Amino acid sequence: MLWPIADRTILQAISWLKNNFLIAWQKAFPNVSTDIQEWGGPICQSRLLTGELELAILIEPFDKSGIRYDPLCQDHMFAAMHISHPFAYTKEPLPFEALAHEPIITGSFDNVLRRFFDHCCKLTKIQPPILMSSSYNVDFVNSMSENIGISTLTSAMAFCVTNSDVVIRRLILPIPGTIYLCTSARSGEIKAVRQFVSFCREYFRQNPVPVFEV
């Protein structure tokens, strides 16, 4: 069975997919071979529709026509800023629209966090200035020593922030940050794929992805 992780950011968010989850899956179905690959979301969706893949993990935005999609889990998006930033006076959730004029440090263009961020910008009709696009936002946040901008983070990234001079606020998003397990109409009829989807639903129900709490 061939299926991809849609993006490294999603892979980080559910990093135990590589260990506990896959070990449990292989124990439950020892005769099913699973090949995991990493591509960007658009490539995953394209190959899913052409039958090159049987499963894909995707997050908004993606075209839902021609595929089946099951929600696996949800995550928040966070804003990390130096304690000298005006928004750092509280840890209350911050409306996404508040970022409209803030210099933003976010993911690179092929990064799922960046695509989701851009989608939220489109939905809220804002265009924040992008100060930097990087796949290493956490390293940047952990080295912040002055107010230079706001960095967007996932829960997995927020858990890795060790800089005591940084305040993290959850963003109030226009849509939930839902992660979906997707199959094509063709692959959805394959027994091993149906088993995997059912297994995923139950596993994620019993083992929720850790969500960062501010």
Side-chain angles (χ1 to χ4, degrees):
M1 181 167 62
L2 178 64
W3 63 287
I5 295 297
D7 191 282
R8 287 183 177 85
T9 307
I10 295 180
L11 184 61
Q12 292 166 357
I14 47 177
S15 57
W16 41 266
L17 203 64
K18 278 189 170 179
N19 39 68
N20 296 356
F21 174 79
L22 284 180
I23 290 173
W25 161 252
Q26 290 297 160
K27 284 183 177 179
F29 301 96
N31 297 322
V32 178
S33 177
T34 306
D35 180 9
I36 300 178
Q37 302 182 14
E38 291 183 36
W39 291 311
I43 295 177
C44 289
Q45 185 172 358
S46 173
R47 297 191 177 188
L48 189 67
L49 291 172
T50 59
E52 297 175 70
L53 301 173
E54 292 165 352
L55 291 146
I57 292 179
L58 300 171
I59 191 170
E60 301 280 7
F62 65 94
D63 184 358
K64 298 181 176 66
S65 58
I67 63 174
R68 302 174 181 180
Y69 50 96
D70 287 276
L72 289 184
C73 56
Q74 285 189 353
D75 195 9
H76 300 306
M77 185 186 294
F78 300 88
M81 65 210 74
H82 190 262
I83 55 174
S84 60
H85 193 285
F87 288 168
Y89 65 92
T90 178
K91 290 188 177 181
E92 292 298 312
L94 181 69
F96 190 86
E97 294 86 341
L99 303 181
H101 305 292
E102 297 295 323
I104 300 295
I105 302 140
T106 188
S108 53
F109 291 103
D110 61 345
N111 179 283
V112 69
L113 176 60
R114 174 62 183 275
R115 292 196 305 274
F116 185 67
F117 174 82
D118 288 345
H119 187 54
C120 289
C121 288
K122 181 179 180 180
L123 293 175
T124 54
K125 300 179 181 179
I126 65 173
Q127 290 185 311
I130 304 299
L131 177 66
M132 184 174 69
S133 299
S134 170
S135 298
Y136 304 98
N137 291 18
V138 173
D139 292 343
F140 192 88
V141 171
N142 280 332
S143 64
M144 272 187 180
S145 59
E146 59 182 311
N147 173 20
I148 61 170
I150 290 178
S151 178
T152 57
L153 304 173
T154 63
S155 280
M157 297 164 74
F159 280 122
C160 296
V161 174
T162 57
N163 188 343
S164 59
D165 288 335
V166 165
V167 171
I168 298 176
R169 296 182 65 178
R170 181 171 68 84
L171 289 168
I172 302 173
L173 301 174
I175 57 170
T178 305
I179 296 173
Y180 296 92
L181 178 62
C182 303
T183 63
S184 68
R186 179 198 61 82
S187 63
E189 302 304 320
I190 299 173
K191 181 179 178 180
V193 173
R194 293 201 309 269
Q195 289 176 329
F196 190 86
V197 171
S198 297
F199 182 85
C200 282
R201 288 174 181 159
E202 182 61 19
Y203 191 91
F204 276 72
R205 187 186 68 79
Q206 294 185 21
N207 302 274
V209 175
V211 176
F212 185 78
E213 298 291 342
V214 177

